[in-house]
Amino acid sequence: MIEIKNVSLRLGDTQILQDVSLTMPKGGVTALVGPNGAGKSSLLSLIARLRPLQSGSISVDGLPVDTTPSRQLAKTLAILRQDPAVASRLKVRELVGFGRFPHQRGRIDANDLLLIEAALQQFGLMELADRFLDNLSGGQRQRAMVAMAFCQGTDYMLLDEPLNNLDMLFARQLMRDLRAAADNDRRTVIVVLHDINHAAVYADRIVAMKAGRIVADGAPAEVLQPDVLAQVFGYDMNVIDVGGAPLVLHHR
Amino acid sequence: MPSARLVVATSLVGLFVLSLGIGVDDLPMGSVLTDAGALQLLLVSRLPRTVAVVLTGAGLAIAGLVLQILVRNRFVEPITTGTGQSAALGVLAVTLLFPTASIAMKTLGASVAALAGTSVFLSIAHRLPPTQPFLIPLFGLVYGGVIGAAVTFIAWQTDLLQYVDIWTNGEFSGVLRGRYELLWILAAMVALAWWVADRLTIASMGREVSVGLGLNYQRIVQLGLVMVAVISSLAVVVVGMIPFVGLVVPNLVSRLMGDNLKSALPWVAVTGAVLLLACDIIGRLIRYPYEIPVGTVLGVVGSGLFLWILFGRTQRA
């Protein structure tokens, strides 16, 4: 379980997060949605101890993120930031292998090799495994980064806009992989999404943020209502029902 | 690239033997076993010089590699971005305050100054906009130039310019047994860097990836700073500043073998040794029996190699 209590964040003169409290039980896929600058990425960074907490408290599985040793947290949660801009000339297989670092401190054993190959397989990277990252397209590199986060083998996975740079086929594939990770491996996935219709289909729960506050929280059918969406995104959009799932016509 | 590795490894062995054979006195290899004078020459002069070149080349290449990781910019190296100049300032200060200080004391003073100078460089470099990658090396050159000017000014005021020349122009002609042994610390630094190779590779992916993987980023940065400062100071105090090794070699090895340092880092060290050894030999042969300082040779060879790296980079992209 992830427990966020009364978290506020201020950077310079800007209030990024205002008294956010949120509890996410273990398991399932939670989508964070909201307009640019709503504080979604900042909240993710705070959970993943990439930023120091200014006020409030956050714990993951009972481990306070500000005082638990970083290495122990690295075995509990994995974070994929938006646009990690890795400039190192690593081969895809080497990069994915570094996902095992928190467990092995660099000594890769047979079990790790299996996990690495499985991650490469799952993200369609087998043919790219021996290519250098700087020779890949943006979407291929993004898949390699996601595969590394998967390979970390943590109960909690935080992904910040993982669909960036992915074409439709791989975007759908990634959402299905996240769903499968939650359903089959009992992982807890928290993902920042801009494509709200992916959230509608693949998430168990949608948390909508605006201006540093949580403004809606619930199952997709509850949150994806015209009045809620207008409040979050600032314009009216139609929502229709397609095969039992809401489809937001946000582009018209 | 097994063929590149083979070439580099055989070059090291070949150049090592060649370096032992080059000097004003003839030293036929067969005579060492029978002639006491020849053996003496080998052990007192030729072997120490060759070992010193190998250690310095390996050390400078690793220092360049580590600094490039800390700054996250491939176009910096300690000798031109303030570390070397800070080290010179440190030796100068120790020389002025304690004229009888031993070479170890001077190295210590240089290391402390180099650590401070590099820390300042790093903290400013991290504040420069990442969208302008060439600002960092430019800033480094200016920063190194300012500290270098301070060194020259103080030395001029205190009549120590000749000393400063020894620290700023790297060359190995003065290396004899008993005057280079501190350089073995460089071997320890290279070994330390290899020991933490995985951590350095992760650090090269940036702070956020490092923290996400449970690496203590702050600590690896501190360790890296110490390695860069100690290596550069030893080089400056014992042999003088040698440019380009730390800049060119890590880029070259990255091109050929990638940045997974567990496998690439030893080759950075070996390639650094080969480059410096080759340049030292060129400097000794070009106007035999006189010598051209290795720093000067590297200025020519290194800038050529650097241009080749830049040119190849654009061609590939």
Side-chain angles (χ1 to χ4, degrees), chain A residues 49-50 81 88-89 106 152, chain B residues 204 207-208 254-255 259:
Chain A
R49 45 84 174 89
L50 298 183
R81 289 278 282 151
S88 309
R89 282 195 85 217
Q152 210 171 323
Chain B
S204 78
R207 193 190 77 88
E208 294 194 333
S254 169
R255 278 278 296 280
D259 292 332

Side-chain angles (χ1 to χ4, degrees), chain B residues 61 87 89 282:
Chain B
L89 191 61
I282 293 172

Side-chain angles (χ1 to χ4, degrees), chain B residues 263-278:
Chain B
S263 52
L265 190 139
W267 293 102
V268 174
V270 172
T271 309
V274 167
L275 177 63
L276 195 56
L277 206 45

Side-chain angles (χ1 to χ4, degrees), chain A residues 27-31 155-159 178 181-182 187-191:
Chain A
V29 176
T30 302
D155 282 347
Y156 296 86
M157 288 183 55
L158 314 178
L159 303 114
L178 295 178
R187 298 219 209 180
T188 310
V189 177
I190 294 147
V191 55

Side-chain angles (χ1 to χ4, degrees), chain B residues 49-299:
Chain B
R49 174 174 190 153
T50 305
V51 170
V53 174
V54 168
L55 289 172
T56 308
L60 287 176
I62 295 299
L65 174 77
V66 172
L67 188 68
Q68 287 171 14
I69 288 171
L70 300 185
V71 181
R72 295 199 76 197
N73 188 299
R74 286 201 189 275
F75 300 111
V76 295
E77 63 142 337
I79 297 301
T80 48
T81 52
T83 310
Q85 290 77 7
S86 303
L89 191 61
V91 210
L92 187 61
V94 173
T95 310
L96 282 172
L97 298 174
F98 312 99
T100 57
S102 66
I103 200 162
M105 278 292 296
K106 285 178 182 166
T107 308
L108 191 66
S111 298
V112 172
L115 193 59
T118 316
S119 304
V120 170
F121 171 64
L122 189 63
S123 65
I124 296 177
H126 279 174
R127 286 188 176 81
L128 295 175
T131 47
Q132 306 275 334
F134 288 100
L135 264 186
I136 291 178
L138 275 179
F139 164 69
L141 285 175
V142 173
Y143 179 71
V146 169
I147 300 175
V151 171
T152 309
F153 178 74
I154 296 170
W156 183 60
Q157 293 287 323
T158 52
D159 251 350
L160 285 174
L161 268 182
Q162 274 172 327
Y163 276 95
V164 169
D165 200 49
I166 294 172
W167 302 317
T168 46
N169 283 334
E171 52 112 13
F172 292 90
S173 63
V175 172
L176 295 170
R177 187 169 67 193
R179 291 192 46 192
Y180 82 103
E181 281 74 2
L182 270 178
L183 290 180
W184 281 104
I185 297 174
L186 294 178
M189 288 290 141
V190 172
L192 177 64
W194 197 14
W195 190 53
V196 297
D198 271 335
R199 274 163 249 209
L200 286 171
T201 309
I202 292 174
S204 78
M205 292 189 258
R207 193 190 77 88
E208 294 194 333
V209 173
S210 304
V211 173
L213 290 174
L215 182 77
N216 190 332
Y217 185 72
Q218 216 53 44
R219 191 174 298 160
I220 195 80
V221 168
Q222 287 160 354
L223 182 68
L225 275 174
V226 170
M227 285 194 279
V228 170
V230 169
I231 291 173
S232 310
S233 309
L234 276 166
V236 168
V237 172
V238 180
V239 298
M241 286 183 203
I242 298 172
F244 280 113
V245 178
L247 179 66
V248 169
V249 173
N251 279 292
L252 218 52
V253 175
S254 169
R255 278 278 296 280
L256 294 174
M257 300 174 197
D259 292 332
N260 189 3
L261 295 179
K262 196 153 222 179
S263 52
L265 190 139
W267 293 102
V268 174
V270 172
T271 309
V274 167
L275 177 63
L276 195 56
L277 206 45
C279 288
D280 186 52
I281 290 172
I282 293 172
R284 276 187 274 171
L285 289 179
I286 218 162
R287 38 173 252 179
Y288 185 84
Y290 303 103
E291 288 199 16
I292 294 173
V294 70
T296 310
V297 178
L298 254 163

